[in-house]
Amino acid sequence: MTSSSAASSSTTTSSTMMPDENECLKKEEERFKSPDPAPTLDEEVDIDTLPSMLEDDPNGNVVECDLGFKGPRWGPQHAGAKKLASMYSKEKRLQEKVSLFAAIFLFSIVFINLLLSWESSIWVSVLVSAVLGIMTADFASGLVHWAADTFGSVETWFGRSFIRPFREHHVDPTAITRHDIVEVNGDNCMLCVGPLLWILYQQMTYQRDAITQWATFHWYILLLGIYVALTNQIHKWSHTYFGLPTWVVFLQKAHIILPRSHHKIHHISPHACYYCITTGWLNWPLEYIGFWRKMEWVVTTVTGMQPREDDLKWATKLQ
């Protein structure tokens, strides 16, 4: 074949591929704006055939790519993932360290004070508080997850600090498994500092009778805080396919913490369902009533912001 023929063939191939890629990007955009109802974990649904992470290659979200090129669709090689990872700053790292150590200190002091003022008559209410704390944490994880996934931009200071990890997670799902304890848990611990300081203030200033009256509520806030603080660690475990401790795998299989197979559903493009990541207990009922789509309608109606607009930009950032 002559060089002119080769050049002509290359041009023809490029012109043939471009419309296909543009069509794929258009379909991706439609999927992000109007997500299908969430699939379920029914036995007849084979989630390994859906456009999601593969069990043996979690980064290979659609290996035979539908965006105009072959190879893993998501992962550390993704252009958007590389850019987002580079935006993790020293200032952010410091904030996460301070939050983590402050939360650990406050959890310890509040827990010790609660033990010192313990009365056997409240053990049933504390048990109920533990269950309510788990469910509250699961819902709160879903609400925060949905809000950060759906709205906001990485271009703002708040976005660079607190929304960036959500964008990175969708284009490189297992980046979280390469993050250390500080990066994984710092922001969640930050959310716990305020409530724990409030409880500690009450414990230090209230009389004994008043502390006894508040004890059950304090246990609820403490247990809720523990579940909130652990949520992103649980989330990390749901993406860790190899080498997990036996007790973690047991808790996942018992659905006491978020199971790996359950969380795979959230990572089906456009990542618009199953947002709760502490236990995942509330995912099915919230999807059943269409809670998240209704919330999106309210936000769009009030503010004009479009769901997943920024997320789509990073998902389609191919170079």
Side-chain angles (χ1 to χ4, degrees):
M1 182 181 290
T2 65
S3 59
S4 59
S5 298
S8 174
S9 175
S10 176
T11 303
T12 302
T13 302
S14 298
S15 62
T16 302
M17 286 297 293
M18 188 58 68
D20 292 340
E21 185 172 326
N22 289 339
E23 184 64 26
C24 288
L25 290 172
K26 183 178 179 182
K27 289 180 180 178
E28 185 79 352
E29 183 175 357
E30 292 173 353
R31 187 159 60 222
F32 266 68
K33 290 183 176 179
S34 302
D36 292 331
T40 67
L41 282 174
D42 295 338
E43 291 183 2
E44 64 269 17
V45 176
D46 181 6
I47 57 178
D48 286 329
T49 67
L50 297 172
S52 182
M53 298 177 297
L54 304 179
E55 289 287 350
D56 57 347
D57 180 14
N59 275 324
N61 194 339
V62 184
V63 174
E64 187 67 28
C65 239
D66 62 345
L67 290 183
F69 63 94
K70 293 183 182 296
R73 177 182 182 178
W74 309 133
Q77 82 294 331
H78 188 281
K82 291 179 180 178
K83 175 64 176 177
L84 289 162
S86 71
M87 296 166 67
Y88 182 59
S89 66
K90 292 180 180 179
E91 294 78 13
K92 176 63 177 172
R93 178 75 175 180
L94 177 61
Q95 171 256 304
E96 290 171 344
K97 284 183 177 180
V98 171
S99 299
L100 180 66
F101 290 117
I104 291 173
F105 173 77
L106 290 169
F107 273 124
S108 302
I109 297 300
V110 168
F111 178 63
I112 291 171
N113 286 338
L114 283 171
L115 288 181
L116 291 175
S117 61
W118 173 262
E119 293 190 6
S120 58
S121 60
I122 66 170
W123 75 267
V124 173
S125 59
V126 170
L127 183 61
V128 172
S129 295
V131 176
L132 290 177
I134 292 175
M135 297 186 70
T136 306
D138 199 39
F139 178 74
S141 74
L143 192 63
V144 172
H145 191 181
W146 162 80
D149 272 8
T150 310
F151 298 105
S153 170
V154 179
E155 305 304 323
T156 65
W157 172 84
F158 181 84
R160 286 192 299 275
S161 298
F162 300 105
I163 295 178
R164 180 199 63 82
F166 292 85
R167 300 289 177 268
E168 180 188 19
H169 186 58
H170 284 174
V171 292
D172 186 6
T174 54
I176 191 173
T177 66
R178 302 188 295 276
H179 296 165
D180 65 8
I181 188 172
V182 174
E183 189 171 356
V184 170
N185 300 295
D187 284 346
N188 282 50
C189 286
M190 180 185 68
L191 297 174
C192 301
V193 170
L196 289 172
L197 281 173
W198 176 64
I199 294 178
L200 184 59
Y201 170 78
Q202 290 185 326
Q203 290 177 335
M204 296 294 101
T205 58
Y206 283 17
Q207 297 296 323
R208 173 79 183 192
D209 291 345
I211 292 177
T212 301
Q213 291 176 355
W214 281 91
T216 298
F217 185 68
H218 285 173
W219 275 105
Y220 166 72
I221 296 298
L222 175 70
L223 294 167
L224 169 59
I226 291 173
Y227 303 134
V228 168
L230 289 174
T231 289
N232 220 30
Q233 183 63 52
I234 293 170
H235 182 201
K236 176 179 178 177
W237 287 332
S238 76
H239 285 280
T240 305
Y241 289 79
F242 314 102
L244 280 176
T246 303
W247 63 271
V248 173
V249 176
F250 169 78
L251 292 176
Q252 289 176 332
K253 290 183 176 180
H255 213 140
I256 296 172
I257 62 175
L258 183 70
R260 286 175 289 186
S261 59
H262 184 91
H263 186 55
K264 277 170 65 79
I265 292 179
H266 172 71
H267 282 272
I268 299 169
S269 179
H271 318 101
C273 62
Y274 279 46
Y275 292 103
C276 300
I277 55 174
T278 304
T279 62
W281 294 351
L282 297 180
N283 279 323
W284 185 85
L286 291 173
E287 295 298 335
Y288 182 79
I289 64 175
F291 181 79
W292 305 116
R293 302 293 83 79
K294 292 172 183 175
M295 289 285 286
E296 288 169 12
W297 178 86
V298 170
V299 173
T300 300
T301 300
V302 173
T303 69
M305 292 190 295
Q306 296 300 314
R308 289 167 293 282
E309 193 171 41
D310 190 60
D311 202 27
L312 173 65
K313 180 182 75 173
W314 291 101
T316 56
K317 190 178 182 66
L318 304 181
Q319 56 182 324

